[in-house]
Amino acid sequence: MDFLSYDIVIVGSGIAGLRAAIEASRANRKLRIAVITKVQAMRSHSVSAEGGTAAALYPEKGDSVESHVYDTVKGSDFLADQDAVERLCSMMPTEVYQLEHWGMPWSRNEDGRLAQRPFGGYSFPRAVFASDKVGFFEMQTLYDTALKYANIEFLQEWFVTSIVYDDSRFQGLTAIEMKSGDFYAIKAKAGIIATGGPGRLYSFATYGHSSTAEGLAMVYRAGIPLKDMEFVQFHPTGLVPSGILITEGARGDGGVLINKDGERFMARYAPEKKDLAARDVVSRAIMDEINQGRGVKSEGLEHVYIDLRHLGAEKIKERLSTIREIAIKFNNIDPVNTLIPVRPVCHYFMGGIDTNIDGATKLSGLWAAGECACVSVNGANRMGANSTAECLVWGKITGSEAAKYAAKSSGEISKQAVEQEQKRIHDGIFHGKGGENPYEIKKEMQRIMDRYVYVYRDGEGLSQALKLIRGLKKRAYRHVDDRSSEYNTNFTNVLELDANLEVSEAVVAGALARTESRGAHARVDYPKRDDAKWLKHTLAYYSSDGPKLDYTAVVITKYKPAERKY
Ligand SMILES: Cc1cc2nc3c(=O)[nH]c(=O)nc-3n(C[C@H](O)[C@H](O)[C@H](O)COP(=O)(O)OP(=O)(O)OC[C@H]3O[C@@H](n4cnc5c(N)ncnc54)[C@H](O)[C@@H]3O)c2cc1C
């Protein structure tokens, strides 16, 4: 076993991880900071964000931080912590200009000022963007900036397996260097988990295949609760059949949803906002159209269409070039003159690692930021363009907090804990026994999630899902066929599956227990929101018999829960 030592380790090089590294480095140039990522840094999932980043930039034109706060709280179906939302929205304008100063090529209006496009559920065009490649340009800007700081080191293609801790504090990590297969203990005074969302619990998903649950599972196993995992966002417009995202920017720029009769059906569900209602509302409307026979079936999937034809070739090529390219490459259709087939697709996890408003977990010295964290600003339904925003804001906050903490701490790592983890990985998994194909188990898990834990859920389906996931956990194959050391993706895929099964169980258990409909959690057997019983966050604690659920209060500052109308 090899040992490394840093002041701060950041797991994840997406927008949250990179922003955290830059802030920690700016706070204290003497700290040694490692950013660890299982892929090449620029291949982190954030690179695929398309439509925009939310910030109230133009008070003189009528926008305000307060309006951003209210739209976010309403969008969350009043489950977001309002103090955290206030922090997000008030810090965002500065983050937009900070990125601009680091070189971000934001799209502009004719007057040269930053352009903003409408996004679902907002009262003002609030998504600042860079064509439809906002994630790519934000990642490029942050990565280039991070490279300028000599005290940030990148460990790319390193797979983190666990955190190491004692009763009172975080001590470091264990990881496999993928190019050699060597196992490392990495001592650190402070850690930030920024491992993104576990999107690949589902098969029909907008996420890359590397978006899996290890970050969540490693803190869950360490006794830190996962919060609100039952709230999974299904974006209304996943391209059929691949699931690739057709950005909300397409509707922001004027695209409309139509059913098999060519009807613009959203007016029936959201008379005012229509196609630009909040995502949960639009996804349910699409499923209602499909369930009532007004969908179209192709390639085994029922869907509706998004129509961009009236926008004209010039606008589509300038502002929606990525989705045009995707439609041409994957479906052989050009949105300039053809309808795009779409249906709701797994796109975002509102839940995640339980943190306080500073992104701190219950374990001293450990923070979480970005999609893997639940601060909570997204509550039961995230607003589009708020995730990249959250990554920037809590990247900055956690980077700064971790730097302060690391400067006054000393580091120790328990050799015994590291050896135990090596045994779990090496003897338990690499040389484990079992006769089942992990790829079949993974497919089965995704089929269960796609079928029973989708836009609409019910008690019977969720109970069945829980039983099936538990069955899979027992059968799960903890044995690696490929014995090679270098780039053994069979090994890392089995580790990913292990984490995915653990976390999918927490998602299903939380959904089964929550007998109400709120935001993205729509129970057909409990169709109404129930504030008297359920205006609270779910906390799932790890136990070897499955998650133990507890609940905690929602922070309400100004806005009393009200009926949502769009
Ligand atoms: C297609 C798509 C489009 C989107 N568009 C928008 C948009 O326009 N606006 C918006 O606000 N949001 C958008 N979102 C959401 C947003 O992009 C994500 O929520 C956000 O980028 C997540 O960033 P992150 O930094 O939290 O994690 P990620 O970018 O997912 O990065 C996770 C990092 O963790 C690392 N990691 C994970 N596990 C391990 C491990 N075991 N060991 C080592 N490293 C590990 C990965 O290698 C990676 O570096 C979109 C999402 C999708 C799927």
Side-chain angles (χ1 to χ4, degrees):
M1 186 192 324
D2 297 290
F3 278 86
L4 292 175
S5 173
Y6 293 94
D7 294 300
I8 302 177
V9 282
I10 298 169
V11 190
S13 60
I15 294 172
L18 292 176
R19 184 69 187 86
I22 294 168
E23 199 60 27
S25 176
R26 281 175 9 139
N28 187 337
R29 301 293 171 94
K30 290 195 184 125
L31 297 173
R32 284 191 65 215
I33 300 162
V35 178
I36 311 179
T37 170
K38 67 179 177 178
V39 296
Q40 289 285 326
M42 272 300 291
R43 294 186 72 99
S44 298
H45 181 65
S46 291
V47 83
S48 60
E50 293 178 1
T53 295
L57 293 185
Y58 295 120
E60 69 279 17
K61 291 188 191 163
D63 200 5
S64 68
V65 166
E66 180 154 4
S67 166
H68 189 184
V69 172
Y70 183 70
D71 289 344
T72 302
V73 170
K74 178 180 167 188
S76 81
D77 218 348
F78 296 88
L79 193 73
D81 285 344
Q82 295 179 15
D83 54 349
V85 178
E86 283 159 18
R87 199 159 182 192
L88 170 80
C89 302
S90 57
M91 283 177 70
M92 263 319 289
T94 311
E95 279 302 296
V96 169
Y97 296 123
Q98 176 64 77
L99 278 186
E100 161 98 342
H101 294 159
W102 283 332
M104 175 79 191
W106 295 117
S107 293
R108 290 174 184 279
N109 294 321
E110 273 174 10
D111 62 5
R113 301 183 74 189
L114 303 191
Q116 292 194 290
R117 58 164 48 123
F119 248 58
Y122 286 119
S123 320
F124 202 84
R126 195 174 281 142
V128 60
F129 60 97
S131 183
D132 56 358
K133 299 177 176 60
V134 76
F136 173 79
F137 286 118
E138 287 180 352
M139 283 290 291
Q140 190 72 62
T141 302
L142 291 168
Y143 186 52
D144 277 359
T145 304
L147 292 177
K148 292 181 187 145
Y149 290 88
N151 58 337
I152 301 176
E153 226 176 279
F154 281 89
L155 304 183
Q156 309 199 41
E157 298 181 329
W158 283 58
F159 191 102
V160 176
T161 68
S162 264
I163 59 169
V164 183
Y165 57 98
D166 65 13
D167 289 345
S168 60
R169 62 179 189 87
F170 171 80
Q171 298 184 328
L173 304 163
T174 49
I176 298 162
E177 183 193 31
M178 290 167 70
K179 79 165 189 261
S180 63
D182 292 342
F183 186 81
Y184 279 82
I186 304 175
K187 185 173 87 173
K189 296 170 186 165
I192 301 172
I193 307 290
T195 46
R200 283 294 162 180
L201 301 188
Y202 290 80
S203 159
F204 193 64
T206 56
Y207 290 83
H209 290 276
S210 63
S211 290
T212 47
E214 307 89 76
L216 296 169
M218 64 184 84
V219 299
Y220 182 48
R221 284 197 310 263
I224 297 165
L226 302 182
K227 185 157 80 194
D228 291 340
M229 289 306 294
E230 62 269 34
F231 295 102
V232 182
Q233 178 160 82
F234 297 92
H235 192 292
T237 54
L239 182 65
V240 170
S242 60
I244 298 172
L245 180 72
I246 301 299
T247 173
E248 193 163 283
R251 280 171 290 134
D253 285 353
V256 295
L257 293 165
I258 58 173
N259 62 20
K260 80 163 196 284
D261 306 319
E263 180 202 8
R264 270 195 76 177
F265 57 84
M266 275 313 299
R268 269 189 280 123
Y269 301 90
E272 198 188 314
K273 293 269 181 208
K274 300 187 182 75
D275 301 84
L276 282 176
R279 287 180 178 169
D280 59 325
V281 175
V282 183
S283 285
R284 281 194 295 278
I286 292 174
M287 290 317 296
D288 289 350
E289 290 297 299
I290 289 173
N291 293 338
Q292 288 163 26
R294 293 188 291 276
V296 180
K297 192 161 190 174
S298 56
E299 310 221 27
L301 283 174
E302 289 200 277
H303 61 82
V304 296
Y305 293 108
I306 181 164
D307 187 358
L308 306 185
R309 295 172 300 182
H310 53 286
L311 303 186
E314 201 183 323
K315 188 167 180 182
I316 292 174
K317 285 179 190 168
E318 188 203 325
R319 290 169 67 121
L320 299 166
S321 59
T322 303
I323 62 158
R324 176 167 182 254
E325 195 183 321
I326 288 167
I328 292 172
K329 278 200 179 140
F330 285 82
N331 285 44
N332 203 17
I333 54 174
D334 187 344
V336 168
N337 48 40
T338 311
L339 300 171
I340 311 175
V342 290
R343 69 179 265 129
V345 58
C346 172
H347 181 64
Y348 186 82
F349 279 72
M350 273 68 78
I353 300 165
D354 177 37
T355 74
N356 71 7
I357 195 169
D358 291 330
T361 70
K362 290 189 167 50
L363 187 65
S364 175
L366 186 67
W367 286 261
E371 189 173 338
C372 70
C374 184
V375 172
S376 125
V377 290
N378 302 303
N381 172 63
R382 171 174 76 90
M383 300 293 284
N386 261 355
S387 173
T388 46
E390 178 182 355
C391 289
L392 291 167
V393 167
W394 270 276
K396 176 176 181 173
I397 294 171
T398 56
S400 154
E401 294 290 316
K404 278 188 259 168
Y405 179 93
K408 57 182 172 46
S409 313
S410 58
E412 254 340 294
I413 191 161
S414 151
K415 235 181 137 202
Q416 196 195 352
V418 171
E419 278 164 7
Q420 250 174 27
E421 173 64 1
Q422 191 178 25
K423 206 164 161 5
R424 180 182 83 92
I425 295 289
H426 194 257
D427 302 350
I429 297 181
F430 195 68
H431 292 288
K433 300 248 177 314
E436 300 235 22
N437 181 333
Y439 300 99
E440 285 305 322
I441 300 266
K442 173 180 163 188
K443 269 199 222 146
E444 189 56 33
M445 175 197 70
Q446 291 179 330
R447 265 197 296 268
I448 295 165
M449 298 301 284
D450 281 348
R451 174 163 176 201
Y452 297 112
V453 204
Y454 188 46
V455 174
Y456 281 117
R457 299 133 180 224
D458 63 34
E460 203 182 316
L462 291 167
S463 302
Q464 176 71 353
L466 195 57
K467 202 171 102 196
L468 293 171
I469 296 276
R470 285 185 172 156
L472 285 184
K473 263 178 79 181
K474 284 204 190 105
R475 275 169 48 203
Y477 177 78
R478 289 193 174 77
H479 176 233
V480 179
D481 268 338
D482 184 350
R483 295 279 143 191
S484 54
S485 305
E486 294 100 21
Y487 288 108
N488 187 340
T489 50
N490 180 215
F491 186 18
T492 51
N493 288 163
V494 171
L495 293 171
E496 289 171 346
L497 176 64
D498 209 40
N500 282 352
L501 283 169
E502 208 69 80
V503 170
S504 60
E505 192 185 6
V507 173
V508 180
L512 179 61
R514 187 173 280 272
T515 48
E516 67 157 354
S517 288
R518 182 185 298 271
H521 175 63
R523 291 272 304 246
V524 291
D525 44 355
Y526 294 93
K528 293 246 172 336
R529 194 176 81 196
D530 181 352
D531 288 332
K533 252 177 95 182
W534 287 108
L535 184 58
K536 56 189 180 185
H537 298 293
T538 306
L539 296 176
Y541 288 87
Y542 175 82
S543 93
S544 51
D545 305 329
K548 299 276 175 260
L549 301 183
D550 196 0
Y551 295 91
T552 182
V554 174
V555 178
I556 294 180
T557 55
K558 275 195 192 150
Y559 304 108
K560 292 228 162 61
E563 192 188 343
R564 287 163 83 214
K565 287 194 181 133
Y566 286 102

